[in-house]
Structure formats: C-alpha cells, structure tokens
Amino acid sequence: MCIPKYHDYFEYPEAMSSTIVFNPCSAGLRGDFQPPGDKSISHRAAIFSLLADGVSEIRGFLRAEDTLATLAACVALGAGVSEDQSGGLTITGVGLSGLSAPKDGRLDMGNSGTAMRLLAGVLAAQSFSCELFGDASLSGRPMARIIRPLEQMGADIEAQEGCPPLLIAATAGLQPLAYQSPVASAQVKSCLLLAGLCSGVDISVCEPALSRDHSERMLAAQGAAISVADSCVELTATAVLQPLKMNIPADISSAAFAIVAALIVPASEITVRNISINPTRARLIDALRAMGGEIEVLNTSEQGGEAVADLCIRSSSLKAIDVPPEWVPGMIDEFPVLMIAASLADGVTRVRGAAELRVKESDRISVMVDGLNTLGVTVEEYADGFDIHGHRGFRFNGGCVDGHGDHRCAMSFLVAGLVSTAPVKVSGTEAIATSYPAFIEDMRRLGAGVQV
Ligand code: S3P
C-alpha cells in the first residue's frame, strides 16, 4: 500500500491491550483532567483545512486511530502537515479544486465511519477515481445513506451491497441538490455539504432532527455562505475557504466515561476541563441531571465557534427516566455508558427511537444487552431501544464481557467494573485506541484500579 502511515507524521499512540480488567473502586474517584480533543471536530478540522486556501493552525487535534486515518488521507490528497513542539498542527491546504489523486488510488479509513462518509463527499466530486476501504467493522456499515444522494448529484459509486469498499469514479462535475434526509446524521449532512463545496454547486440538506453541527460552524468560520434554520442547512456555491485557526475542545463523548464513573462510584468528585458542550452534542448532561446526577457546568466560554465548559461531577443517587426520543441525536454516542448509569438508577430507564445504535461500530443495543446480562442486569431489548431495570446500590457481577471491538461498548463495560462485586474483564478493547488512547491513563489518574 502506498498511502502514508500515521507514524510518517506523528508519534503514534501505543497499541491498546486486547483485554483489560477494572477492579471495584471503594475509595472514590478524585481529580481534575482534560479528556482528549473532540473526535468529530478533529476529523472536520483536517478535511476543511485540506480544502482551505492557505495554512490552518489547529491545536488540540485528537491523536487517535480514527482521526489520524483522516489526517493521513488528507496528506495523501495533497495537504502539507507539520507538528510544532507543543503538539499544534499546521495544515497547508490545496484549495477546493487542488486535490491530487492518492498514489495507489486507495485510502484506508480504518474503523472510522466519519472518515469514510465525509471523504466520500470530497472524492465524489474529483476528476480522479479513488477507493475507500476500512476494517471488518467498517466494511459492514451502511453506505447507501450517502451513495443515494451522491448519485442524485451525478456521482458514480460502486459498493458491495451498500457497504464498503467504495469505488468512487472520476467525475466532470456534480449537480446541485436539495435533499431531505431520512436519518438525522451529521455524517450524511457533512458528506453532501462537502460534495457541494468541492463541485461548486448549491446544496441544502433537511434532517428529521438537527444532528451535530460542527461542519456548519467550521464552514461559517471559513467564510462559506452557509445558513441554518431549524434542522435544514443551505450552502451556496463557495469559491474559497479561508484557513482555520482553532483550538479543539475536549470530547464530551470521551469525557462521558469519567462522568458516569464519578456519578456511580460512591465518594467521588471529579472535574473534567474544557469540554465541548455544543447543544447538538450535550444531551447526556441533561439526561444524567434528569436522573438526579450532580453535574455542575462551570466557566462556560466559546472556543473556535464551539461552546465549552468545565464540568464538576459528584457521586449521586440516580433514578430512572424515559429518555425523550428527540434527545437521541444529541447523545447518540453516549447510550452505551448511559446504560451503565441506568443499571444503578432506581426504576426502569426507557429508550426508544434509537435504531441508529444498531449500525454503529457494532450493534450497540445487542452488544450492551448481552454484556449487561452477563453483569447481572435485567434489560429488555427492542428494535429501536431498550428498557433497563436499575437499582440504587446495585453492584454489577464480576466476570468476562466482550466489547466486540467497539470502543464505546468496551469503555462502558470497564466503567461497570468500578462498581462490581468482583473485577470485570473486558475483551475486544484494542478499539479504544480509535477514539481515546489515554483512557486507561486518565482513569488511573482518577483512582481506578486497572490491570492491562
Ligand atoms: C459523527 C456523527 C454520528 C456519530 C459519530 C460521529 C460525526 O454518526 O455517531 O460517532 O462526526 O459526524 P451519524 O452521522 O451516523 O449519526
């Protein structure tokens, strides 16, 4: 393969162990730390910097497998990337029409659905062909949701029954599109915005509910003619994107594990710093507070067009809630860890309208229900959600559970081990490196007992 490896550019994080054990924690979690940079924003910072005219300066870029796959792909498409001594990146863009074909015509997206779906939008508009491929999990994920609208724009994409690899043919140009998306998906929305941007045509996308809006915020900061009303976004053909200068805040989806851990481990008090609390991402805080979780939002400010804050979390007595279906898109990645909190919340926590969980890095409903059953929790599974029968004061059974190569399920099961009758051993934990290579180090710093 000729595509660049991540470590041609950066010191790559150490491989994650395939089995990790968390011990019950009686002393409480304590401390103050900043989780890693936001994954969604990091992917976009790399891609939008590639497409800008000039040099972007990005601080806080997430060094994890998924985002480094995107960065390596941007380099293969022509971006110049260098890292300063304090870890900041400078990314020299090639402009909206200056991309070059990757050397052997293929790009490895690893485990990342965001990398594949966003870059498919960029590549569908190019005058060269390219293949996008990924690992076994990514090769089973649905791509018809982007292929269909891209084909309506005139793109030519071949897939294997709607799944990767994607063979994206060269094009002489795409047509404008006004698209009504059947799913609330920021990946679909961003893919189409990128296809419109790179082919110089107008695009509008309406969703059933507003999905995360990082692309819209970044494009506005780069001078694109973009407007948003309710859950519709309109992008008028844009000739030039200005380079970015931004500090990427910490990822609420990564912070979620320490947040839930501090709520459920007695005698805990932690502070997580500089967290992105973008309203399209922060529903977990609303859900946990509605469950009785003590979460204080402090030092709110704005950073690179995104709302950020420090969060102070104390151990709390939790009660069950019905999660309103309209909250689902705003916490779509946090359901595995919410299920851990719900197991210790008095009553039945109900989630519906979350069928999207079945097409993430794993079928997260089925993987979490299986693992929770092993850990002694009563859960009922539905096509689009679950009911969890929780009890205050409950302790998970110790034992072995499989994270099925899904980073968020693996980290969620490990958090359960902190409130268990015996250690919890989780297999399939290598995938934690896709989003949060420092997870073990951060949890140890808070007082978790971990064996790797
Ligand atoms: C993401 C969007 C969400 C989310 C994923 C990251 C993004 O996926 O689950 O982890 O960065 O755009 P969908 O667009 O499929 O909802």
Side-chain angles (χ1 to χ4, degrees):
M1 258 189 341
C2 293
I3 72 155
K5 292 206 187 70
Y6 319 122
H7 34 262
D8 289 345
Y9 307 101
F10 306 107
E11 199 178 319
Y12 192 67
E14 263 175 49
M16 205 83 186
S17 167
S18 60
T19 310
I20 300 174
V21 180
F22 267 36
N23 299 327
C25 175
S26 49
L29 300 172
R30 302 247 146 202
D32 183 325
F33 78 111
Q34 179 168 326
D38 189 280
K39 184 152 82 75
S40 289
I41 300 177
S42 294
H43 282 295
R44 287 160 173 79
I47 297 170
F48 291 123
S49 298
L50 161 74
L51 300 176
D53 270 29
V55 180
S56 294
E57 291 171 30
I58 312 291
R59 308 202 70 77
F61 186 88
L62 171 66
R63 264 65 162 192
E65 287 177 4
D66 277 12
T67 45
L68 290 173
T70 292
L71 192 61
C74 290
V75 171
L77 293 167
V81 179
S82 63
E83 189 175 27
D84 66 32
Q85 288 196 328
S86 60
L89 297 184
T90 50
I91 305 181
T92 306
V94 295
L96 286 166
S97 47
L99 272 67
S100 40
K103 273 195 206 120
D104 70 349
R106 319 175 69 214
L107 292 173
D108 186 352
M109 305 288 95
N111 187 248
S112 176
T114 308
M116 183 166 287
R117 295 194 178 116
L118 268 58
L119 284 167
V122 171
L123 291 163
Q126 302 304 318
S127 57
F128 54 83
S129 62
C130 188
E131 178 184 339
L132 292 180
F133 67 100
D135 69 7
S137 149
L138 184 55
S139 301
R141 296 187 65 190
M143 294 294 147
R145 56 182 59 198
I146 56 160
I147 295 173
R148 263 188 248 114
L150 287 172
E151 283 177 346
Q152 286 174 34
M153 295 177 76
D156 176 358
I157 303 175
E158 228 180 89
Q160 316 298 308
E161 293 175 11
C163 292
L166 302 182
L167 301 171
I168 305 176
T171 177
L174 299 179
Q175 303 302 312
L177 180 71
Y179 189 62
Q180 176 68 57
S181 176
V183 279
S185 163
Q187 293 177 357
V188 171
K189 175 173 62 177
S190 304
C191 166
L192 299 177
L193 291 174
L194 284 161
L197 262 178
C198 293
S199 45
V201 299
D202 296 353
I203 285 288
S204 69
V205 183
C206 290
E207 315 179 83
L210 182 64
S211 64
R212 63 192 66 190
D213 63 359
H214 306 301
S215 297
E216 294 90 310
R217 287 170 190 269
M218 218 175 266
L219 285 170
Q222 291 183 280
I226 188 159
S227 63
V228 182
D230 302 322
S231 54
C232 291
V233 54
E234 255 184 70
L235 176 69
T236 309
T238 301
V240 172
L241 286 185
Q242 301 304 322
L244 288 162
K245 194 165 184 162
M246 77 177 301
N247 210 346
I248 297 176
D251 196 326
I252 190 165
S253 301
S254 296
F257 303 101
I259 294 172
V260 167
L263 288 175
I264 63 175
V265 174
S268 298
E269 177 169 343
I270 68 164
T271 301
V272 286
R273 301 256 175 226
N274 210 39
I275 307 296
S276 161
I277 53 158
N278 177 319
T280 62
R281 287 286 300 282
R283 279 294 185 197
L284 177 73
I285 299 175
D286 298 328
L288 291 172
R289 279 177 155 176
M291 293 169 79
E294 237 191 282
I295 302 178
E296 248 183 287
V297 179
L298 307 165
N299 306 323
T300 311
S301 65
E302 204 190 282
Q303 201 171 290
E306 296 279 352
V308 298
D310 299 336
L311 306 177
C312 175
I313 304 104
R314 295 186 192 89
S315 322
S316 305
S317 290
L318 300 179
K319 60 179 191 300
I321 58 164
D322 285 0
V323 176
E326 62 274 19
W327 285 13
V328 168
M331 53 184 291
I332 190 65
D333 292 338
E334 283 68 73
F335 283 101
V337 78
L338 180 85
M339 292 171 90
I340 302 301
S343 305
L344 283 99
D346 253 355
V348 182
T349 292
R350 292 188 184 84
V351 171
R352 296 290 184 280
E356 276 293 298
L357 294 177
R358 296 205 178 270
V359 291
K360 294 294 178 189
E361 286 83 330
S362 69
D363 174 344
R364 286 185 174 157
I365 296 180
S366 138
V367 168
M368 289 305 299
V369 168
D370 276 5
L372 285 174
N373 282 333
T374 306
L375 296 175
V377 181
T378 305
V379 197
E380 280 130 32
E381 182 172 351
Y382 294 88
D384 65 340
F386 49 82
D387 284 356
I388 296 197
H389 298 254
H391 304 281
R392 222 170 263 170
F394 172 72
R395 292 285 169 271
F396 294 95
N397 295 336
C400 301
V401 281
D402 190 349
H404 285 273
D406 182 320
H407 56 139
R408 300 203 196 280
C409 295
M411 287 186 274
S412 300
F413 290 137
L414 287 169
V415 167
L418 297 169
V419 190
S420 56
T421 54
V424 170
K425 179 175 178 179
V426 182
S427 56
T429 49
E430 305 91 328
I432 293 173
T434 63
S435 66
Y436 196 169
F439 175 66
I440 300 302
E441 197 184 314
D442 286 349
M443 293 305 294
R444 274 192 175 134
R445 201 177 310 139
L446 295 176
V450 182
Q451 296 143 49
V452 175

Short mmCIF file of all heavy atoms in Angstrom, two decimals, residues 209-254:
data_model
loop_
_atom_site.label_atom_id
_atom_site.label_comp_id
_atom_site.label_asym_id
_atom_site.label_seq_id
_atom_site.Cartn_x
_atom_site.Cartn_y
_atom_site.Cartn_z
N ALA A 209 -34.30 15.60 12.49
CA ALA A 209 -33.94 16.35 13.71
C ALA A 209 -32.52 16.85 13.48
O ALA A 209 -31.77 16.22 12.72
CB ALA A 209 -33.99 15.45 14.93
N LEU A 210 -32.17 17.95 14.15
CA LEU A 210 -30.85 18.52 13.92
C LEU A 210 -29.76 17.59 14.48
O LEU A 210 -29.78 17.24 15.66
CB LEU A 210 -30.76 19.89 14.59
CG LEU A 210 -29.44 20.64 14.40
CD1 LEU A 210 -29.22 20.99 12.93
CD2 LEU A 210 -29.40 21.91 15.26
N SER A 211 -28.82 17.19 13.63
CA SER A 211 -27.67 16.40 14.10
C SER A 211 -26.54 17.36 14.44
O SER A 211 -26.65 18.57 14.20
CB SER A 211 -27.25 15.41 13.01
OG SER A 211 -26.81 16.13 11.88
N ARG A 212 -25.43 16.83 14.93
CA ARG A 212 -24.32 17.71 15.35
C ARG A 212 -23.94 18.67 14.22
O ARG A 212 -23.92 18.28 13.04
CB ARG A 212 -23.13 16.88 15.84
CG ARG A 212 -22.50 16.00 14.82
CD ARG A 212 -21.53 15.02 15.47
NE ARG A 212 -22.22 14.08 16.32
CZ ARG A 212 -21.63 13.24 17.17
NH1 ARG A 212 -20.33 13.21 17.27
NH2 ARG A 212 -22.33 12.41 17.91
N ASP A 213 -23.62 19.90 14.60
CA ASP A 213 -23.48 20.95 13.58
C ASP A 213 -22.05 21.51 13.48
O ASP A 213 -21.86 22.66 13.14
CB ASP A 213 -24.48 22.09 13.87
CG ASP A 213 -24.21 22.78 15.20
OD1 ASP A 213 -23.27 22.38 15.92
OD2 ASP A 213 -24.93 23.74 15.52
N HIS A 214 -21.06 20.66 13.77
CA HIS A 214 -19.67 21.15 13.72
C HIS A 214 -19.27 21.61 12.31
O HIS A 214 -18.53 22.58 12.16
CB HIS A 214 -18.69 20.07 14.18
CG HIS A 214 -19.01 19.50 15.52
ND1 HIS A 214 -19.08 20.25 16.66
CD2 HIS A 214 -19.29 18.22 15.91
CE1 HIS A 214 -19.37 19.48 17.69
NE2 HIS A 214 -19.51 18.24 17.26
N SER A 215 -19.74 20.89 11.28
CA SER A 215 -19.36 21.29 9.91
C SER A 215 -19.88 22.69 9.60
O SER A 215 -19.16 23.53 9.03
CB SER A 215 -19.94 20.31 8.88
OG SER A 215 -19.41 19.04 9.06
N GLU A 216 -21.14 22.94 9.98
CA GLU A 216 -21.74 24.23 9.69
C GLU A 216 -20.96 25.35 10.38
O GLU A 216 -20.68 26.41 9.79
CB GLU A 216 -23.20 24.27 10.19
CG GLU A 216 -24.14 23.31 9.47
CD GLU A 216 -24.23 21.93 10.12
OE1 GLU A 216 -23.17 21.33 10.38
OE2 GLU A 216 -25.34 21.44 10.34
N ARG A 217 -20.59 25.12 11.65
CA ARG A 217 -19.85 26.14 12.41
C ARG A 217 -18.49 26.40 11.79
O ARG A 217 -18.03 27.55 11.67
CB ARG A 217 -19.68 25.70 13.87
CG ARG A 217 -20.96 25.76 14.66
CD ARG A 217 -20.81 25.09 16.01
NE ARG A 217 -22.11 24.96 16.65
CZ ARG A 217 -22.65 25.87 17.46
NH1 ARG A 217 -21.97 26.96 17.78
NH2 ARG A 217 -23.84 25.71 17.97
N MET A 218 -17.82 25.32 11.39
CA MET A 218 -16.47 25.48 10.83
C MET A 218 -16.53 26.18 9.48
O MET A 218 -15.74 27.07 9.19
CB MET A 218 -15.85 24.09 10.69
CG MET A 218 -14.39 24.04 11.00
SD MET A 218 -13.78 22.36 10.94
CE MET A 218 -13.92 21.89 12.63
N LEU A 219 -17.50 25.77 8.65
CA LEU A 219 -17.62 26.40 7.32
C LEU A 219 -17.94 27.88 7.45
O LEU A 219 -17.42 28.71 6.70
CB LEU A 219 -18.69 25.69 6.50
CG LEU A 219 -18.25 24.32 5.95
CD1 LEU A 219 -19.43 23.58 5.34
CD2 LEU A 219 -17.14 24.50 4.91
N ALA A 220 -18.80 28.24 8.41
CA ALA A 220 -19.13 29.66 8.62
C ALA A 220 -17.85 30.41 9.00
O ALA A 220 -17.58 31.50 8.48
CB ALA A 220 -20.19 29.80 9.70
N ALA A 221 -17.02 29.81 9.88
CA ALA A 221 -15.77 30.46 10.30
C ALA A 221 -14.81 30.60 9.12
O ALA A 221 -13.94 31.47 9.12
CB ALA A 221 -15.11 29.65 11.41
N GLN A 222 -14.96 29.77 8.11
CA GLN A 222 -14.07 29.82 6.94
C GLN A 222 -14.62 30.71 5.83
O GLN A 222 -14.07 30.75 4.73
CB GLN A 222 -13.83 28.41 6.40
CG GLN A 222 -13.01 27.55 7.35
CD GLN A 222 -12.73 26.18 6.79
OE1 GLN A 222 -13.58 25.29 6.83
NE2 GLN A 222 -11.56 26.00 6.22
N GLY A 223 -15.74 31.38 6.11
CA GLY A 223 -16.28 32.35 5.15
C GLY A 223 -17.23 31.76 4.13
O GLY A 223 -17.58 32.43 3.15
N ALA A 224 -17.68 30.52 4.31
CA ALA A 224 -18.61 29.92 3.35
C ALA A 224 -19.99 30.55 3.53
O ALA A 224 -20.36 30.99 4.63
CB ALA A 224 -18.71 28.42 3.56
N ALA A 225 -20.77 30.59 2.44
CA ALA A 225 -22.13 31.16 2.50
C ALA A 225 -23.08 30.06 2.96
O ALA A 225 -23.66 29.33 2.15
CB ALA A 225 -22.52 31.69 1.12
N ILE A 226 -23.21 29.93 4.27
CA ILE A 226 -23.99 28.83 4.83
C ILE A 226 -25.06 29.38 5.77
O ILE A 226 -24.77 30.32 6.54
CB ILE A 226 -23.06 27.82 5.53
CG1 ILE A 226 -23.83 26.56 5.94
CG2 ILE A 226 -22.30 28.40 6.71
CD1 ILE A 226 -22.93 25.36 6.16
N SER A 227 -26.27 28.86 5.70
CA SER A 227 -27.30 29.31 6.64
C SER A 227 -28.03 28.09 7.18
O SER A 227 -28.17 27.06 6.51
CB SER A 227 -28.27 30.27 5.96
OG SER A 227 -28.94 29.59 4.94
N VAL A 228 -28.48 28.23 8.43
CA VAL A 228 -29.14 27.11 9.10
C VAL A 228 -30.47 27.62 9.65
O VAL A 228 -30.53 28.68 10.27
CB VAL A 228 -28.27 26.61 10.28
CG1 VAL A 228 -28.92 25.41 10.96
CG2 VAL A 228 -26.87 26.24 9.80
N ALA A 229 -31.54 26.87 9.40
CA ALA A 229 -32.84 27.19 10.00
C ALA A 229 -33.46 25.87 10.45
O ALA A 229 -33.61 24.96 9.64
CB ALA A 229 -33.74 27.90 9.00
N ASP A 230 -33.81 25.79 11.72
CA ASP A 230 -34.32 24.55 12.32
C ASP A 230 -33.37 23.40 12.00
O ASP A 230 -32.20 23.48 12.30
CB ASP A 230 -35.76 24.27 11.86
CG ASP A 230 -36.67 25.43 12.23
OD1 ASP A 230 -36.48 25.98 13.33
OD2 ASP A 230 -37.55 25.80 11.43
N SER A 231 -33.89 22.36 11.31
CA SER A 231 -32.97 21.25 11.02
C SER A 231 -32.62 21.20 9.54
O SER A 231 -32.40 20.15 8.97
CB SER A 231 -33.57 19.93 11.50
OG SER A 231 -34.85 19.78 10.95
N CYS A 232 -32.56 22.38 8.90
CA CYS A 232 -32.16 22.47 7.48
C CYS A 232 -30.93 23.35 7.36
O CYS A 232 -30.82 24.38 8.02
CB CYS A 232 -33.27 23.09 6.64
SG CYS A 232 -34.71 22.04 6.49
N VAL A 233 -30.02 22.94 6.48
CA VAL A 233 -28.83 23.75 6.22
C VAL A 233 -28.74 24.01 4.72
O VAL A 233 -29.06 23.13 3.91
CB VAL A 233 -27.55 23.04 6.75
CG1 VAL A 233 -27.41 21.63 6.22
CG2 VAL A 233 -26.29 23.83 6.41
N GLU A 234 -28.33 25.21 4.37
CA GLU A 234 -28.19 25.58 2.95
C GLU A 234 -26.81 26.14 2.74
O GLU A 234 -26.39 27.06 3.47
CB GLU A 234 -29.19 26.70 2.62
CG GLU A 234 -30.38 26.21 1.83
CD GLU A 234 -31.30 27.38 1.45
OE1 GLU A 234 -30.88 28.19 0.59
OE2 GLU A 234 -32.37 27.45 2.05
N LEU A 235 -26.14 25.62 1.73
CA LEU A 235 -24.79 26.09 1.40
C LEU A 235 -24.79 26.56 -0.04
O LEU A 235 -25.08 25.78 -0.95
CB LEU A 235 -23.78 24.95 1.60
CG LEU A 235 -22.34 25.23 1.22
CD1 LEU A 235 -21.70 26.24 2.17
CD2 LEU A 235 -21.52 23.94 1.25
N THR A 236 -24.49 27.84 -0.23
CA THR A 236 -24.43 28.38 -1.59
C THR A 236 -23.02 28.16 -2.11
O THR A 236 -22.05 28.24 -1.33
CB THR A 236 -24.74 29.90 -1.55
OG1 THR A 236 -25.94 30.05 -0.81
CG2 THR A 236 -24.92 30.49 -2.93
N ALA A 237 -22.92 27.87 -3.42
CA ALA A 237 -21.62 27.60 -4.03
C ALA A 237 -20.58 28.60 -3.52
O ALA A 237 -20.82 29.81 -3.52
CB ALA A 237 -21.74 27.67 -5.54
N THR A 238 -19.45 28.08 -3.09
CA THR A 238 -18.42 28.89 -2.44
C THR A 238 -17.12 28.68 -3.20
O THR A 238 -16.77 27.53 -3.50
CB THR A 238 -18.25 28.40 -0.97
OG1 THR A 238 -19.51 28.54 -0.30
CG2 THR A 238 -17.18 29.14 -0.22
N ALA A 239 -16.39 29.75 -3.51
CA ALA A 239 -15.18 29.58 -4.32
C ALA A 239 -13.95 29.30 -3.45
O ALA A 239 -13.08 28.52 -3.84
CB ALA A 239 -14.95 30.83 -5.16
N VAL A 240 -13.90 29.93 -2.29
CA VAL A 240 -12.68 29.85 -1.48
C VAL A 240 -13.04 29.62 -0.01
O VAL A 240 -13.94 30.26 0.51
CB VAL A 240 -11.88 31.19 -1.59
CG1 VAL A 240 -10.72 31.21 -0.62
CG2 VAL A 240 -11.39 31.40 -3.01
N LEU A 241 -12.33 28.73 0.65
CA LEU A 241 -12.45 28.59 2.11
C LEU A 241 -11.21 29.19 2.76
O LEU A 241 -10.08 28.86 2.37
CB LEU A 241 -12.52 27.11 2.50
CG LEU A 241 -13.78 26.32 2.23
CD1 LEU A 241 -13.65 24.92 2.81
CD2 LEU A 241 -15.01 27.02 2.80
N GLN A 242 -11.44 30.05 3.75
CA GLN A 242 -10.32 30.64 4.50
C GLN A 242 -9.71 29.57 5.40
O GLN A 242 -10.42 28.67 5.86
CB GLN A 242 -10.80 31.79 5.38
CG GLN A 242 -11.46 32.93 4.64
CD GLN A 242 -10.55 33.50 3.57
OE1 GLN A 242 -9.34 33.62 3.77
NE2 GLN A 242 -11.11 33.83 2.41
N PRO A 243 -8.40 29.65 5.69
CA PRO A 243 -7.82 28.68 6.62
C PRO A 243 -8.40 28.82 8.02
O PRO A 243 -8.94 29.87 8.38
CB PRO A 243 -6.33 29.00 6.60
CG PRO A 243 -6.18 30.29 5.89
CD PRO A 243 -7.43 30.59 5.13
N LEU A 244 -8.28 27.77 8.80
CA LEU A 244 -8.81 27.75 10.17
C LEU A 244 -7.73 28.10 11.17
O LEU A 244 -6.56 27.77 10.96
CB LEU A 244 -9.28 26.33 10.52
CG LEU A 244 -10.55 25.82 9.85
CD1 LEU A 244 -10.61 24.30 9.96
CD2 LEU A 244 -11.77 26.46 10.51
N LYS A 245 -8.14 28.73 12.26
CA LYS A 245 -7.24 28.91 13.40
C LYS A 245 -8.06 28.48 14.59
O LYS A 245 -8.98 29.20 14.98
CB LYS A 245 -6.84 30.38 13.48
CG LYS A 245 -5.69 30.61 14.37
CD LYS A 245 -5.08 31.97 14.17
CE LYS A 245 -3.87 31.98 15.07
NZ LYS A 245 -2.91 32.92 14.85
N MET A 246 -7.84 27.30 15.08
CA MET A 246 -8.73 26.87 16.16
C MET A 246 -8.08 25.96 17.19
O MET A 246 -7.09 25.30 16.92
CB MET A 246 -10.00 26.23 15.60
CG MET A 246 -9.87 24.83 15.08
SD MET A 246 -11.48 24.20 14.54
CE MET A 246 -12.48 24.30 16.00
N ASN A 247 -8.69 26.01 18.37
CA ASN A 247 -8.29 25.20 19.50
C ASN A 247 -9.42 24.20 19.70
O ASN A 247 -10.53 24.61 20.05
CB ASN A 247 -8.21 26.15 20.70
CG ASN A 247 -7.19 25.69 21.69
OD1 ASN A 247 -6.73 24.55 21.63
ND2 ASN A 247 -6.86 26.55 22.62
N ILE A 248 -9.17 22.95 19.45
CA ILE A 248 -10.26 21.96 19.52
C ILE A 248 -10.55 21.62 20.99
O ILE A 248 -9.64 21.24 21.73
CB ILE A 248 -9.88 20.69 18.72
CG1 ILE A 248 -9.72 21.06 17.25
CG2 ILE A 248 -10.93 19.59 18.91
CD1 ILE A 248 -9.26 19.93 16.35
N PRO A 249 -11.79 21.78 21.43
CA PRO A 249 -12.11 21.46 22.83
C PRO A 249 -12.11 19.96 23.08
O PRO A 249 -12.03 19.16 22.14
CB PRO A 249 -13.53 22.04 23.01
CG PRO A 249 -14.10 22.14 21.65
CD PRO A 249 -12.97 22.25 20.67
N ALA A 250 -12.18 19.58 24.35
CA ALA A 250 -12.19 18.16 24.71
C ALA A 250 -13.54 17.53 24.35
O ALA A 250 -14.56 18.20 24.30
CB ALA A 250 -11.91 18.01 26.20
N ASP A 251 -13.49 16.23 24.11
CA ASP A 251 -14.63 15.50 23.56
C ASP A 251 -15.59 15.06 24.66
O ASP A 251 -15.23 14.26 25.52
CB ASP A 251 -14.09 14.27 22.80
CG ASP A 251 -15.12 13.68 21.87
OD1 ASP A 251 -16.32 13.71 22.21
OD2 ASP A 251 -14.73 13.17 20.80
N ILE A 252 -16.82 15.54 24.60
CA ILE A 252 -17.81 15.14 25.61
C ILE A 252 -18.08 13.64 25.54
O ILE A 252 -18.38 13.00 26.55
CB ILE A 252 -19.11 15.96 25.49
CG1 ILE A 252 -20.01 15.69 26.69
CG2 ILE A 252 -19.85 15.70 24.19
CD1 ILE A 252 -21.13 16.67 26.89
N SER A 253 -17.94 13.06 24.35
CA SER A 253 -18.20 11.62 24.20
C SER A 253 -17.13 10.79 24.90
O SER A 253 -17.39 9.68 25.35
CB SER A 253 -18.27 11.25 22.72
OG SER A 253 -19.29 11.98 22.08
N SER A 254 -15.90 11.31 24.98
CA SER A 254 -14.84 10.63 25.74
C SER A 254 -14.97 10.95 27.23
O SER A 254 -14.80 10.07 28.08
CB SER A 254 -13.45 11.06 25.24
OG SER A 254 -13.29 10.64 23.91
#
